[in-house]
């Protein structure tokens, strides 16, 4: 038995040695090394290398709550009548990817904004008109809710070129110190563009930018329906359009009216140029822009006075070009307090309201707006009026000036004060001619009657106006990247001259209701005196809680 046991133990030992020797001959597979995320200091704080690449990425964002109180003058259903308060939650995500190359930094930047706003100002009609917000359709929510889904930025920068969705190179101040854009001035934070920036050294640079024209378009004055009273383009109405009349003649030389489609087509890009200087004391910029204003063909030809439309022809409104110039100055004021600064800006344009920013408070992409629901007067907001006698586009004129100052009381407390003023005017002859065509075309109920009618001087359509917007805020930052603040704004809108029917005291009553004027007071045919006004105003209070990361 001892012999057998010894043989078995010897055999087992031998097998173990052989197995070990064979195992030693097999290749050993090593585990892949773990690549830890490395900090990238080349492009500033917060960047890290994407594993396996030489590209640096920074992830940042924002969470925000804000609420607003806006004075309302009516409880009617139009224009959010009766709504006093609004609320909004907003989330933002930024992705900034940069790679060092032999041509300089290759950068791609993407920003997503998601928001849900209710009530006046925060249920933004401008966002809905621009396609970056979507309305609710409930009985109590329609017109009072905007769900914002916006690709705010998505651009590539390389060797001086910028391509994609970015802020317009025309802009300068762009409401940097305000909670929500209120003061008058250009602020297109997201548009599609292709630009080249040349850097000359010593802080000087120049940019030429080809930009998407759509977000700079403001309607041509017209009616939402063919043959309508030409009192304004209506939005959110199925099958509506934008039409304006032009006088023509038939084969016998007798007068007819051609209704032209004046919804603007997207044909040429806007061209923007900017010259900028940056230094330790601040920065300065001069910018200019040009954009096309165009019309389409006649939608129909109609007669009046029983004249035939056979062989009818009318002047076709040709394209015209709106333009604007702007100058801006930013001055750092560290001798007052660290972080203090002052903005000064002025702009002038013809057929370019979205460049001068005259409609910043009133709203964009609509041809008529008021400061708040139920105010006594509103303002036409159009880039051009088609003169129905000549068939030519008559461009509006607007200008604005803005100043804004930021002061740090302590590192945790800061305030901004801002103020702006602007004026807008239209051609007197084209307005009178349009009123005349309304009258001879059989539209005696138009809100823009004939210049020979008693109510013409009291019409609020295509009137010259001026606007004042001022405000201030106070922000507390108890810890880094957390802001808690309040802001108050005041806005005033007035006619440059004369008076209009007071739409607060006589809602829905137009200048066509005026039968006579006695001692400057308009009266209806029934002898009722109509209230008039030359100015209206409103105020707004806002609050914000914001965390950046």
């Amino acid at each position: 038995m001892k012999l057998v046991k010894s043989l078995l133990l010897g055999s087992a030992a031998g097998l173990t040695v052989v197995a070990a020797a064979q195992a030693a001959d097999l290749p050993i597979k090593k585990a892949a090394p773990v690549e830890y995320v490395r900090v990238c200091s080349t492009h500033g704080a917060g960047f890290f290398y994407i594993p396996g690449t030489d590209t640096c990425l920074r992830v940042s964002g924002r969470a925000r709550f804000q609420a607003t109180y806006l004075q309302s003058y009516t409880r009617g259903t139009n224009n959010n009548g009766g709504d006093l308060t609004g609320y909004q939650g907003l989330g933002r995500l930024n992705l900034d990817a940069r790679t060092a190359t032999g041509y300089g930094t290759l950068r791609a930047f993407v920003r997503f904004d998601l928001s849900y706003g209710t009530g006046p100002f925060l249920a933004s009609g401008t966002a809905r008109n621009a396609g970056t917000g979507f309305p609710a359709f409930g009985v109590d929510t329609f017109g009072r809710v905007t769900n914002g889904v916006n690709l705010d930025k998505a651009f590539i920068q390389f060797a001086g070129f910028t391509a994609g969705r970015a802020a317009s190179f025309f802009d300068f101040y762009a409401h940097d110190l305000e909670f929500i854009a209120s003061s008058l001035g250009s602020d297109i934070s997201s548009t599609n563009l292709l630009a080249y920036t040349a850097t000359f050294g010593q802080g000087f640079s120049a940019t030429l930018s080809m930009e998407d024209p759509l977000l700079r378009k403001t309607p041509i004055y017209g009616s939402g329906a063919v043959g309508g009273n030409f009192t304004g383009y209506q939005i959110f109405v199925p099958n509506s359009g934008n039409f304006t009349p032009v006088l023509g003649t038939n084969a016998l030389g007798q007068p007819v009216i051609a209704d032209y489609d004046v919804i603007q087509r997207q044909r040429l890009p806007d061209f923007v140029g900017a010259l900028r200087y940056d230094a330790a004391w601040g920065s300065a910029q001069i910018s200019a822009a040009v954009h096309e204003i165009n019309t389409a063909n006649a939608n129909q030809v109609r007669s009046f006075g029983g004249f035939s439309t056979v062989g009818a022809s009318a002047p076709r409104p040709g394209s015209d070009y709106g333009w604007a110039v702007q100058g801006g100055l930013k001055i750092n004021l560290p001798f007052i307090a660290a972080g203090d600064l002052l903005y000064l800006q002025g702009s002038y344009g013809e057929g370019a309201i979205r460049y001068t920013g005259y409609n910043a408070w009133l709203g964009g992409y609509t041809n008529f707006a008021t400061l708040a629901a139920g105010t006594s007067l509103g303002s036409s907001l159009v880039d051009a009026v088609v003169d129905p006698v000549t068939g030519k586009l008559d461009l509006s004129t607007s200008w604005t000036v803005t100043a804004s100052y930021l002061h740090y009381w302590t590192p945790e407390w800061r305030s901004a004060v801002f103020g702006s003023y602007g004026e807008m005017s239209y051609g007197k002859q084209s307005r009178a001619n349009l009123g005349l065509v309304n009258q001879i075309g059989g539209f005696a109920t138009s809100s823009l009657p004939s210049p020979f009618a008693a109510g013409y001087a009291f019409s609020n359509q295509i009137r010259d106006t001026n606007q004042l917007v001022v405000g201030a805020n106070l922000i507390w930052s108890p810890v880094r990247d957390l802001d808690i603040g309040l802001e108050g704004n005041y806005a005033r809108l007035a006619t440059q001259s004369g008076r209009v029917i007071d739409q607060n005291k006589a809602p829905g009553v137009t200048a066509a209701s005026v039968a006579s004027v006695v001692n400057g007071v308009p009266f209806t045919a029934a002898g009722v005196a109509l209230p008039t006004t030359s100015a209206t105003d409103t105020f707004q209070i806002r609050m914000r809680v914001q965390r950046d990361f």
Side-chain angles (χ1 to χ4, degrees):
M1 289 296 295
K2 290 183 177 180
L3 179 59
V4 174
K5 185 177 181 179
S6 299
L7 289 172
L8 291 174
L9 291 173
S11 299
L15 290 172
T16 302
V17 171
V18 171
Q22 290 177 345
D25 293 336
L26 293 175
I28 299 175
K29 186 176 181 180
K30 297 182 179 179
V34 177
E35 183 174 357
Y36 294 97
V37 174
R38 295 178 294 136
V39 173
C40 174
S41 59
T42 306
H43 305 290
F47 284 88
F48 61 88
Y49 283 99
I50 299 175
T53 73
D54 57 354
T55 296
C56 298
L57 179 66
R58 184 176 188 270
V59 180
S60 61
R62 168 180 296 169
R64 174 194 293 170
F65 167 78
Q66 54 192 13
T68 183
Y69 175 92
L70 177 63
Q71 187 179 16
S72 180
Y73 294 85
T74 179
R75 291 182 180 271
T77 58
N78 294 330
N79 196 26
N80 294 350
D83 291 346
L84 298 176
T85 59
Y87 311 90
Q88 185 189 59
L90 180 143
R92 169 174 289 181
L93 177 64
N94 302 315
L95 301 174
D96 192 350
R98 305 188 190 190
T99 306
T101 74
Y103 297 92
T105 299
L106 168 61
R107 184 189 186 197
F109 183 85
V110 180
R111 171 179 291 167
F112 303 97
D113 278 341
L114 303 175
S115 64
Y116 190 87
T118 67
F121 232 82
L122 296 180
S124 172
T126 297
R128 294 195 297 269
N129 293 349
T132 59
F134 306 93
F137 292 97
V139 172
D140 300 316
T141 59
F142 181 74
R144 290 181 169 86
V145 174
T146 296
N147 191 17
V149 181
N150 184 26
L151 179 62
D152 184 66
K153 300 286 187 297
F155 62 82
I156 300 166
Q157 289 181 316
F158 179 65
F161 287 94
T162 301
R165 189 164 176 79
S168 171
F169 281 92
F170 182 86
D171 296 348
F172 184 70
Y173 167 56
H175 305 103
D176 281 356
L177 306 182
E178 303 168 33
F179 283 12
I180 307 173
S182 297
S183 64
L184 310 181
S186 177
D187 184 3
I188 302 297
S189 60
S190 302
T191 189
N192 304 311
L193 56 80
L194 175 63
Y196 178 76
T197 300
T199 303
F200 305 116
Q202 304 298 318
F204 286 98
S205 63
T207 299
L208 181 62
S209 181
M210 182 179 69
E211 302 188 357
D212 190 332
L214 197 61
L215 293 181
R216 295 287 191 179
K217 287 189 182 298
T218 299
I220 296 172
Y221 188 81
S223 172
V226 175
N229 288 332
F230 303 98
T231 59
Y233 176 100
Q234 303 299 313
I235 59 174
F236 297 126
V237 177
N239 303 317
S240 66
N242 197 22
F243 306 95
T244 195
V246 175
L247 286 178
T249 57
N250 62 16
L252 300 177
Q254 298 165 326
V256 295
I257 295 178
D259 292 315
Y260 273 92
D261 175 2
V262 289
I263 291 180
Q264 298 183 67
R265 272 57 177 179
Q266 196 153 304
R267 296 172 180 168
L268 292 177
D270 285 11
F271 292 98
V272 172
L275 180 63
R276 186 180 178 95
Y277 176 72
D278 294 283
W281 59 263
S283 55
Q285 178 175 294
I286 298 174
S287 53
V290 60
H291 79 131
E292 183 191 32
I293 302 173
N294 59 64
T295 66
N297 297 322
N299 181 273
Q300 73 170 19
V301 177
R302 54 191 166 89
S303 66
F304 63 91
F307 296 127
S308 170
T309 59
V310 175
S313 64
R316 184 184 184 281
S319 296
D320 208 335
Y321 296 90
W323 59 273
V325 293
Q326 178 177 267
L329 189 65
K330 176 185 175 183
I331 305 173
N332 298 322
L333 303 171
F335 53 87
I336 299 178
D340 279 27
L341 56 89
L342 173 67
Y343 276 104
L344 300 172
Q345 179 177 282
S347 60
Y348 176 89
E350 295 184 4
I353 304 173
R354 293 290 291 173
Y355 279 102
T356 62
Y358 184 79
N359 58 352
W361 176 293
L362 294 167
Y365 316 111
T366 183
N367 82 337
F368 191 89
T370 60
L371 293 176
T375 51
S376 56
L377 69 87
S379 176
S380 293
L381 300 170
V382 296
D383 275 342
V385 176
V386 176
D387 188 318
V389 175
T390 66
K392 295 182 179 180
L393 289 167
D394 189 4
L395 304 186
S396 61
T397 298
S398 59
W399 61 267
T400 61
V401 290
T402 304
S404 185
Y405 172 59
L406 175 66
H407 174 64
Y408 279 82
W409 303 97
T410 70
E412 294 79 24
W413 290 90
R414 67 185 187 273
S415 292
V417 293
F418 49 89
S420 59
Y421 177 81
E423 295 183 2
M424 185 164 186
S425 59
Y426 297 96
K428 303 296 185 295
Q429 191 61 56
S430 58
R431 181 177 189 266
N433 288 345
L434 190 56
L436 181 62
V437 170
N438 275 340
Q439 190 74 36
I440 64 176
F443 303 118
T445 60
S446 172
S447 57
L448 181 60
S450 164
F452 303 107
Y456 179 77
F458 297 95
S459 172
N460 60 8
Q461 298 294 304
I462 329 179
R463 291 294 291 265
D464 297 351
T465 58
N466 63 71
Q467 202 177 164
L468 172 72
V469 179
V470 296
N473 57 48
L474 176 65
I475 301 173
W476 176 45
S477 300
V479 297
R480 182 179 177 182
D481 296 327
L482 175 64
D483 290 342
I484 303 171
L486 289 173
E487 181 175 272
N489 297 330
Y490 170 82
R492 181 181 185 272
L493 176 68
T495 58
Q496 285 289 81
S497 61
R499 302 177 70 84
V500 300
I501 304 297
D502 189 321
Q503 290 300 302
N504 177 261
K505 297 178 180 178
V509 177
T510 70
S513 300
V514 179
S516 61
V517 179
V518 180
N519 296 325
V521 177
F523 285 83
T524 67
V528 177
L530 292 174
T532 63
T533 185
S534 61
T536 188
D537 58 5
T538 190
F539 69 89
Q540 185 173 176
I541 299 173
R542 305 163 176 171
M543 67 87 63
R544 171 182 291 180
V545 180
Q546 178 173 300
R547 165 72 157 98
D548 291 284
F549 59 89

